[in-house]
C-alpha cells in the first residue's frame, strides 16, 4: 500500500505562494482519494482539498476556494497542493491522507485511510 509523505512546507510572507507535495511511497495513488488536511494549534483538523486520482474530480474546503489548487502528476505518484495568496490564518501543519479504492465523495477519514506525518506551513503577516 502506498503511504503518503508530505514535503514543501516552510515560511512565507502573507500574499505569497507555496506548493506542497504528497508523494506515494511503496506504490502509487492509482484509484485513490488523496486529500490535504490542516490543523493549527488548539484547532480542529480541517479539510483543505481532495482529488480522486482515477476521475480527476476535485473538491475544496471553504478556506481554500479560489486560492488553492490540487493536482496530480501523470505517474500517479505525486499530488500537489498549490497555495496562493497565503494568509496568516493559513498557518498550520498540513497533512496528506490517502484512501485507496475510494471515489472521494467525502473527506477520507475512515480506518482504511493512510496518513503522512505532516509538513509545517507558516505565513507571516
Amino acid at each position: 500500500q502506498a503511504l503518503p509523505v508530505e514535503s514543501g512546507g516552510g515560511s512565507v510572507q502573507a500574499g505569497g505562494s507555496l506548493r506542497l507535495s504528497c508523494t506515494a511511497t511503496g506504490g502509487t495513488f492509482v484509484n485513490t482519494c488523496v486529500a490535504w488536511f490542516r490543523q493549527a494549534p488548539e484547532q480542529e483538523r480541517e479539510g483543505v482539498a481532495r482529488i480522486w486520482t482515477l476521475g480527476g474530480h476535485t473538491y475544496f474546503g471553504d478556506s481554500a476556494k479560489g486560492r488553492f489548487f490540487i493536482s496530480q502528476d501523470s505517474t500517479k505518484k505525486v499530488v500537489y497542493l498549490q497555495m496562493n495568496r497565503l494568509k496568516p490564518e493559513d498557518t498550520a501543519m498540513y497533512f496528506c491522507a490517502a484512501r485507496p479504492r475510494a471515489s472521494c465523495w467525502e473527506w477520507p477519514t475512515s480506518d482504511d485511510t493512510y496518513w503522512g506525518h505532516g509538513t509545517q506551513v507558516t505565513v507571516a503577516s
Side-chain angles (χ1 to χ4, degrees):
Q1 177 55 48
L3 299 180
V5 176
E6 306 92 339
S7 61
S11 298
V12 65
Q13 292 291 114
S17 298
L18 278 175
R19 188 177 77 163
L20 305 183
S21 298
C22 176
T23 302
T25 59
T28 69
F29 288 143
V30 171
N31 192 19
T32 299
C33 178
V34 181
W36 285 96
F37 292 85
R38 69 185 185 185
Q39 188 165 21
E42 300 182 359
Q43 294 190 19
E44 293 187 357
R45 184 177 61 194
E46 174 189 6
V48 177
R50 64 185 191 256
I51 184 169
W52 180 37
T53 62
L54 183 60
H57 302 91
T58 59
Y59 182 85
F60 297 90
D62 288 341
S63 63
K65 290 177 181 176
R67 298 188 300 129
F68 295 2
F69 301 92
I70 190 169
S71 61
Q72 59 179 320
D73 78 333
S74 59
T75 67
K76 307 292 188 188
K77 289 185 69 67
V78 187
V79 169
Y80 301 101
L81 182 68
Q82 177 68 41
M83 305 187 295
N84 301 322
R85 291 186 282 130
L86 283 161
K87 306 174 183 179
E89 50 264 44
D90 293 319
T91 295
M93 184 72 80
Y94 283 69
F95 298 90
C96 182
R99 185 184 180 200
R101 298 174 296 282
S103 57
C104 246
W105 293 114
E106 57 188 6
W107 295 106
T109 58
S110 55
D111 290 345
D112 58 346
T113 298
Y114 296 86
W115 294 84
H117 293 293
T119 185
Q120 178 68 35
V121 171
T122 302
V123 184
S125 58

